[in-house]
Amino acid sequence: MNRYDHSKIEPKWQKHWEVKKLNHAREDSTKKKFYALIEFPYPSGDGLHVGHIRSNTAMDVVARKRRREGFEVLYPIGWDAFGLPTENFAIKTGIQPEIVTKKNTDTFRRQLKSLGFSFDWSREINTTDPKYYKWTQWIFLQMLKKGLAYKKKMEINWCPKDLIGLANEEVIDGCCERCGTKVEKKEKEQWMLAITQYADRLDKDLDLVDYLPRVKTQQRNWIGKSEGAEINFKIVGNDTVVKIFTTRPDTIFGATYIVLAPESLYAQELVAQAENTIEVAQYIQDVKSKTDIERTSADKEKTGVELKGVRAISPGTGEEIPVYVADYVLAHYGTGAVMAVPAHDERDAAFAKKYGLPVKHVVESLSTLSEGPDAVKPGLPFVERDAAVCIVRHWSEEKYLMSFYRANGWKGFIVGGLEGGETPAIAGTREIHEESGYKNARFVRDVGVLHSQFFHQVKAVNRSAHFKVAYFELADGERDEMSEDEKKLHEVVWLSEGEVEKAMNREDIQLAWKFFKKGPCFTGEGILVNSGKFNGKNSTEVKKEITESVGGTWVTKFKLRDWVFSRQRYWGEPIPVVHCEQCGVVPVPEKELPIQLPKVKNYKPTETGESPLAAIEKWVNTKCPQCKGKAKRETDTMPNWAGSSWYYLRYADSKNKKEFASIKNLKYWTPVDWYNGGMEHTTLHLLYSRFWHKFLYDQGLVPTNEPYQKRTSHGLILAEGGEKMSKSKGNVVNPDELIKVVGADTLRVHEMFMGPFDQAIAWDTNTIAGSRRFIERIWALHTKVGESQNTQIDSLMQKTIKKVSTDIEEMRFNTAISALMIAVNDLEKETTISKENYEILLGLVAPFAPHVADELWSLLKNKKSIHLAPWPIFDEKRVVEGSGKIVVQINGKMRATFEAPPGTGDKELEELAKKLPEVGKWIEGKNIAKVIVVKGRVVNIVLI
């Protein structure tokens, strides 16, 4: 076969792999296992688009490499098929959700198989299959037995048009995602899962797993573990006590008011005591229409109302302070009440500014330099110094005077000592004149106070400076000549705001500027002032001491809330309980599982907000399993998160009818070794899944404490133009046509080569031709295979083995393919290529382009599939250290390569590159802007 014809090659090898069961995982293997996992897809009616393929291809590359490294690999696939989009489609069209789901999964399956992914299709699962959700229901019952599942009346997001409850993520800008109607709050009984009982473990055990740092950060932020104090504020004139929670008890002396969450019990109790009861009650009602996300968003204006006539006593100062109800405090975090310290909390500061509330500073910044030539010298005593930091504005332009100190490289403002009790206004005016010559500086205002510890190179002492920041404006440019001594010490320059922010190179000066621009709201730790007997102490060190002094208690709190687990919808797993007038909530006997969804004609929620199931009397009315009396089935269904919380376990034993998976199989396969998915699922899905797994572990049903050993994430593939792909925008790129025209291997290579895997990148159909040409060049090389001995090429291929192997493990797929392209470039220059080196090339290409690699492997008379051949092993002894290959680029695109001895100078490399004929044709008659030389590797000629 001389011509590369993907339309024949790809179906041929897909059929071969399926017949030979090449990708079927075996538990009876003696090999070490490797479990590779992707987030199983939601099968929408649109089918796959090119954005879906990125994660699948990446883990397929890893899975194929692991098989060839001698591992027994499980790389499974299934369908996360319950969910609102299918139900919405059913409401709109009247087509049964199960019919829609089957059609969609058939489409997805066909597309995934056409891409040659090495999934073990024998383990395919579907969350909507009763044989699967039987075990989802069974796990729920185990949680119910242990008290982790319970019902609670609570406020939910309610769409008055669609008559459904909405999760927070289904509310967009305060409106229903489905219809755009303004969402309301409504009280309803909901099923809950007590994930908060696992909050501490979910936080601590992140130390045991290999997750991306940003994934761990997202998890920890959502869990929201914080240590702090619970402190009682007494209400004046009665016995009511408001307990607040704060992580900053050190700032209690700066509390100038307290804030109650509108839905808190405190607000409900105190509203009757207020002089403006009607106003407060109306405000509380108005807040109900806002979501938690809206209320706590940093860029949303905070609102509130004072409980007039209601005052609290601050236990720090004994002073009476006002009480507010405000939307930025939530009832379910902490105690539903906070002390407000506007000098040291940005939300409180914004609120205090809006309502004219007092601001009292009790913590002043302390920065200690620990690196560089200005770092504090251990053992050297500190010399105290009071000084003014002078921020000076130009008399006619929006520019500020900065001083660049020559001896130590400091770039900041004019600084001068306060002598004999001077004010910053007096000292600053003098220092501005002495250090810059400007005569007419007018003091405008004090900005703030900060403290700094550093080694003063000029004075050769450890300095403990107490800076008072002051703002001045020049009346005009009248100026005396600076003295020669001052000129030797520093240079003064005028800079714009943006230039000032770039120039400042000290933390204390940067903070001084921040105080000036945004106000002195200091949220960090530091030195206490205005705090009675604690003045001068480090705020961090005395938090617990202050807590004790005001009668408080040191506690640990979590922001995490229990999981709202019920939905008033049809297309979800039925919750397996009945409601009996005599016995209450009764679990369905396990032998009766699964409780299957009945057929319905109408998928719309009822007028009362119950799910469509509530209208099916024949299904709802049943007998109580305990007393055999009349009972009604639960009509709420589970959220789509339910089935996806444990799906990875079912893959280990997907056909088991007796249990969700045998412990034998679970001991072999779990934990998942490498799990890749989108960043959008690294908070809730990952947290819920870890919670379910830990519960099952506690029951002795799984052998590991954590479900996933490693978690990575990919960047989105955006539509051309940089927008997110969506059917509504008409910018979705379907892979079917691309596979037909250029082939699955080309598409796979293109997806991995487009850019760094963890970054978002816009799709560009025009560039896919390059990936096709790359495969065609590999194909053409098979005609050169013959007898050949070339140590330079041997060395090149060994380096390529090392580079590609390392890059796959670090998910640098684009640079792995780049290395393969460089190797192909060099191989093309050879008259003949040894079979060994061509097989190495095919072996490295195979995870990315599995079909063409297997075809070319067979043309070399190899009997077994390349995907059964061992992964190439790097042999350092075969690497020749001599002339190095230099890549020549024109405007960043590779145009040639040449050899040069190690140590060749940059200028010489540039000249050698320009003399190459294949470079000359690109630069002849062109203007060269610059030449960038990466020593020993690249010469990049940039043309204008």
Side-chain angles (χ1 to χ4, degrees):
M1 185 186 292
N2 293 319
R3 189 175 69 87
Y4 169 51
D5 185 350
H6 68 269
S7 65
K8 292 182 179 177
I9 292 170
E10 290 175 355
K12 165 188 169 182
W13 286 104
Q14 288 163 16
K15 183 177 180 181
H16 175 82
W17 301 332
E18 191 167 346
V19 169
K20 296 293 185 180
K21 298 183 179 180
L22 236 60
N23 305 316
H24 286 209
R26 296 169 46 198
E27 289 79 20
D28 59 353
S29 172
T30 57
K31 298 177 183 177
K32 187 177 178 181
K33 67 91 181 181
F34 182 80
Y35 188 169
L37 185 69
I38 57 165
E39 292 167 348
F40 61 162
Y42 177 80
S44 69
D46 304 328
L48 284 175
H49 64 65
V50 292
H52 295 128
I53 300 168
R54 200 175 197 189
S55 179
N56 303 7
T57 307
M59 288 313 296
D60 194 53
V61 169
V62 173
R64 287 182 179 277
K65 178 172 181 282
R66 284 290 186 279
R67 287 192 190 95
R68 294 173 56 200
E69 289 172 327
F71 288 81
E72 188 67 38
V73 173
L74 172 57
Y75 186 38
I77 190 65
W79 318 109
D80 188 14
F82 275 128
L84 191 57
T86 302
E87 186 162 340
N88 286 345
F89 189 79
I91 291 170
K92 185 177 179 181
T93 64
I95 301 174
Q96 295 270 350
E98 58 265 36
I99 295 173
V100 176
T101 298
K102 184 179 186 310
K103 179 183 176 184
N104 293 348
T105 53
D106 287 347
T107 299
F108 266 61
R109 189 184 301 106
R110 173 188 59 76
Q111 290 180 311
L112 290 174
K113 286 189 173 184
S114 72
L115 283 154
F117 296 131
S118 61
F119 294 128
D120 181 350
W121 286 100
S122 71
R123 296 171 187 252
E124 180 182 348
I125 60 174
N126 187 322
T127 57
T128 67
D129 182 350
K131 292 191 292 294
Y132 178 87
Y133 71 68
K134 166 184 178 177
W135 298 108
T136 309
Q137 292 174 337
W138 183 86
I139 295 171
F140 174 86
L141 291 180
Q142 309 318 303
M143 290 186 168
L144 185 64
K145 287 178 188 176
K146 297 297 180 179
L148 288 179
Y150 65 96
K151 251 197 164 178
K152 174 186 176 183
K153 181 167 279 192
M154 62 179 296
E155 284 193 334
I156 64 169
N157 302 313
W158 177 256
C159 175
K161 181 181 178 182
D162 290 335
L163 304 175
I164 57 170
L166 302 170
N168 279 335
E169 56 271 17
E170 293 164 348
V171 179
I172 310 298
D173 295 326
C175 297
C176 173
E177 182 183 40
R178 180 195 282 183
C179 68
T181 302
K182 186 73 176 174
V183 169
E184 301 173 352
K185 291 287 186 180
K186 182 174 182 178
E187 268 205 344
K188 180 149 184 43
E189 274 205 331
Q190 297 279 79
W191 278 99
M192 312 289 292
L193 293 186
I195 190 173
T196 51
Q197 292 188 25
Y198 283 77
D200 197 38
R201 282 170 62 186
L202 288 167
D203 182 88
K204 286 180 180 177
D205 289 353
L206 287 168
D207 293 333
L208 306 176
V209 291
D210 178 15
Y211 291 0
L212 292 173
R214 57 182 175 156
V215 172
K216 288 188 178 185
T217 298
Q218 284 187 350
Q219 290 265 294
R220 286 199 159 110
N221 287 346
W222 193 268
I223 296 165
K225 181 179 181 179
S226 55
E227 288 190 332
E230 286 186 342
I231 301 170
N232 290 333
F233 281 66
K234 293 181 179 178
I235 299 300
V236 176
N238 58 49
D239 296 330
T240 304
V241 173
V242 174
K243 181 176 289 186
I244 66 94
F245 171 74
T246 178
T247 59
R248 294 295 305 273
D250 51 304
T251 66
I252 193 168
F253 296 94
T256 58
Y257 60 102
I258 64 172
V259 187
L260 312 177
E263 65 277 30
S264 68
L265 293 175
Y266 294 129
Q268 293 173 29
E269 180 180 355
L270 293 175
V271 66
Q273 300 177 30
E275 296 170 0
N276 55 336
T277 298
I278 295 175
E279 181 188 10
V280 177
Q282 183 59 53
Y283 175 78
I284 291 173
Q285 184 63 34
D286 292 343
V287 172
K288 287 186 175 183
S289 65
K290 299 180 181 180
T291 67
D292 290 357
I293 294 171
E294 284 181 288
R295 287 169 56 182
T296 57
S297 174
D299 58 357
K300 292 283 186 182
E301 185 180 11
K302 309 297 181 281
T303 68
V305 61
E306 183 182 359
L307 292 167
K308 292 179 180 177
V310 178
R311 310 283 285 181
I313 300 172
S314 169
T317 62
E319 298 172 356
E320 292 185 10
I321 57 176
V323 179
Y324 277 76
V325 173
D327 59 358
Y328 70 91
V329 178
L330 303 176
H332 50 74
Y333 180 60
T335 63
V338 300
M339 67 177 194
V341 187
H344 304 293
D345 182 279
E346 291 181 354
R347 296 184 313 166
D348 295 341
F351 191 86
K353 183 178 180 181
K354 180 175 179 178
Y355 292 99
L357 293 161
V359 177
K360 184 178 178 183
H361 295 274
V362 293
V363 182
E364 292 175 350
S365 162
L366 171 63
S367 62
T368 302
L369 296 183
S370 58
E371 295 180 351
D374 302 323
V376 169
K377 302 291 184 186
L380 195 65
F382 282 98
V383 177
E384 305 285 330
R385 179 70 159 159
D386 291 334
V389 175
C390 307
I391 298 176
V392 183
R393 188 184 184 277
H394 196 275
W395 59 93
S396 63
E397 300 179 50
E398 192 63 39
K399 290 188 175 181
Y400 296 86
L401 190 64
M402 290 198 76
S403 187
F404 292 1
Y405 294 88
R406 302 185 193 281
N408 51 24
W410 292 352
K411 294 181 179 180
F413 303 111
I414 289 172
V415 179
L418 299 177
E419 308 295 348
E422 285 181 313
T423 65
I426 294 171
T429 304
R430 180 188 68 247
E431 293 294 337
I432 292 166
H433 180 249
E434 287 181 3
E435 295 197 12
S436 71
Y438 288 104
K439 298 172 66 175
N440 300 316
R442 179 177 66 87
F443 171 77
V444 178
R445 60 183 169 87
D446 288 319
V447 171
V449 179
L450 50 92
H451 307 269
S452 184
Q453 295 177 336
F454 55 91
F455 178 69
H456 197 306
Q457 295 185 62
V458 176
K459 306 289 185 182
V461 296
N462 273 343
R463 175 74 83 207
S464 180
H466 310 291
F467 291 136
K468 296 182 178 178
V469 187
Y471 172 50
F472 297 82
E473 292 178 350
L474 291 180
D476 51 44
E478 188 177 353
R479 182 183 187 190
D480 290 331
E481 183 70 23
M482 290 170 60
S483 70
E484 291 303 315
D485 287 343
E486 290 293 343
K487 288 180 181 178
K488 288 177 183 177
L489 288 174
H490 59 88
E491 174 191 7
V492 291
V493 294
W494 289 103
L495 298 179
S496 66
E497 285 190 18
E499 291 169 333
V500 167
E501 289 169 3
K502 289 180 181 177
M504 294 181 293
N505 61 2
R506 278 186 46 159
E507 181 184 343
D508 46 12
I509 297 302
Q510 290 166 346
L511 187 58
W513 178 256
K514 180 186 174 221
F515 284 179
F516 169 63
K517 295 302 295 179
K518 297 184 178 180
C521 177
F522 175 59
T523 59
E525 314 283 352
I527 301 299
L528 289 171
V529 295
N530 301 318
S531 300
K533 67 180 182 180
F534 298 101
N535 283 346
K537 295 188 176 182
N538 185 295
S539 63
T540 305
E541 295 172 358
V542 295
K543 283 184 178 182
K544 292 184 178 180
E545 190 179 341
I546 288 175
T547 299
E548 186 178 338
S549 75
V550 296
T553 307
W554 195 257
V555 296
T556 299
K557 293 279 186 179
F558 295 91
K559 188 168 67 176
L560 181 68
R561 287 179 289 165
D562 279 352
W563 176 5
V564 182
F565 195 67
S566 47
R567 298 288 185 271
Q568 291 72 52
R569 305 200 182 114
Y570 168 77
W571 194 232
E573 299 94 334
I575 293 175
V577 300
V578 302
H579 299 272
C580 173
E581 290 183 7
Q582 299 296 322
C583 307
V585 175
V586 181
V588 171
E590 293 177 9
K591 65 182 180 180
E592 293 183 15
L593 299 180
I595 302 302
Q596 295 193 44
L597 284 169
K599 303 291 184 185
V600 297
K601 294 180 180 179
N602 178 16
Y603 300 95
K604 292 184 179 180
T606 63
E607 292 297 319
T608 61
E610 303 301 313
S611 87
L613 293 173
I616 309 174
E617 293 185 4
K618 186 177 179 180
W619 185 81
V620 171
N621 294 323
T622 186
K623 288 184 179 181
C624 172
Q626 287 183 188
C627 71
K628 308 305 178 185
K630 292 181 179 180
K632 293 184 179 292
R633 293 193 186 280
E634 173 62 66
T635 59
D636 282 359
T637 53
M638 299 184 195
N640 61 310
W641 300 99
S644 64
S645 290
W646 72 280
Y647 75 109
Y648 60 96
L649 297 171
R650 187 62 175 173
Y651 283 139
D653 201 3
S654 63
K655 302 297 189 292
N656 196 325
K657 295 180 180 179
K658 296 181 180 179
E659 50 195 338
F660 66 83
S662 72
I663 196 67
K664 176 186 174 184
N665 284 22
L666 291 171
K667 281 181 177 178
Y668 182 66
W669 288 119
T670 62
V672 172
D673 294 282
W674 194 338
Y675 186 19
N676 189 78
M679 276 302 294
E680 68 273 21
H681 295 139
T682 52
T683 303
L684 293 182
H685 158 64
L686 204 58
L687 199 65
Y688 294 156
S689 187
R690 293 178 62 224
F691 161 51
W692 276 47
H693 191 91
K694 287 181 181 298
F695 168 74
L696 294 172
Y697 176 71
D698 289 349
Q699 309 314 306
L701 298 168
V702 296
T704 63
N705 183 38
E706 283 284 336
Y708 317 114
Q709 186 55 38
K710 181 174 182 175
R711 168 72 194 212
T712 53
S713 292
H714 56 276
L716 292 174
I717 290 185
L718 305 170
E720 297 188 58
E723 289 187 308
K724 191 170 181 179
M725 286 189 186
S726 72
K727 184 180 178 182
S728 62
K729 293 179 181 177
N731 59 11
V732 172
V733 180
N734 189 294
D736 287 349
E737 189 61 26
L738 291 170
I739 292 170
K740 182 179 178 182
V741 175
V742 297
D745 282 340
T746 296
L747 180 54
R748 290 168 60 112
V749 168
H750 187 60
E751 292 259 352
M752 294 295 95
F753 187 56
M754 287 174 67
F757 183 68
D758 63 343
Q759 297 176 23
I761 190 165
W763 178 263
D764 184 356
T765 301
N766 295 327
T767 59
I768 200 169
S771 297
R772 170 72 183 199
R773 285 194 298 272
F774 169 60
I775 292 175
E776 288 175 343
R777 290 165 64 198
I778 295 171
W779 179 267
L781 284 174
H782 87 273
T783 60
K784 291 190 173 188
V785 174
E787 296 296 326
S788 174
Q789 288 187 335
N790 186 325
T791 54
Q792 290 292 339
I793 292 296
D794 291 347
S795 179
L796 164 72
M797 295 314 297
Q798 290 303 312
K799 290 177 180 177
T800 307
I801 291 171
K802 184 176 182 180
K803 172 68 174 168
V804 173
S805 299
T806 301
D807 282 355
I808 288 174
E809 296 307 314
E810 296 178 359
M811 302 199 104
R812 296 200 302 260
F813 303 109
N814 58 325
T815 56
I817 292 172
S818 181
L820 290 168
M821 288 177 172
I822 291 170
V824 168
N825 214 45
D826 275 19
L827 290 171
E828 285 177 327
K829 296 175 183 177
E830 301 297 307
T831 306
T832 57
I833 308 167
S834 71
K835 182 183 179 188
E836 179 192 11
N837 282 330
Y838 189 53
E839 285 184 337
I840 290 173
L841 176 68
L842 295 180
L844 298 175
V845 166
F848 300 95
H851 308 88
V852 71
D854 232 345
E855 180 68 16
L856 290 168
W857 185 256
S858 70
L859 291 177
L860 295 176
K861 308 302 182 186
N862 289 298
K863 301 297 183 186
K864 292 185 177 180
S865 168
I866 193 171
H867 305 294
L868 297 175
W871 182 255
I873 302 298
F874 170 65
D875 185 354
E876 191 171 4
K877 294 176 182 177
R878 299 183 66 182
V879 175
V880 177
E881 296 299 344
S883 296
K885 181 198 297 181
I886 310 298
V887 174
V888 184
Q889 298 176 335
I890 309 293
N891 288 343
K893 293 187 176 181
M894 189 178 76
R895 299 301 183 188
T897 62
F898 66 94
E899 302 283 340
T904 304
D906 291 358
K907 196 65 183 174
E908 189 177 349
L909 289 173
E910 178 183 334
E911 294 305 317
L912 289 169
K914 289 178 179 177
K915 290 176 183 177
L916 294 172
E918 55 265 58
V919 172
K921 67 180 181 180
W922 289 98
I923 65 175
E924 187 176 354
K926 302 286 178 64
N927 291 322
I928 297 176
K930 58 182 175 180
V931 177
I932 302 167
V933 178
V934 181
K935 191 170 291 294
R937 292 174 56 199
V938 178
V939 176
N940 185 16
I941 301 170
V942 182
L943 304 178
I944 297 176

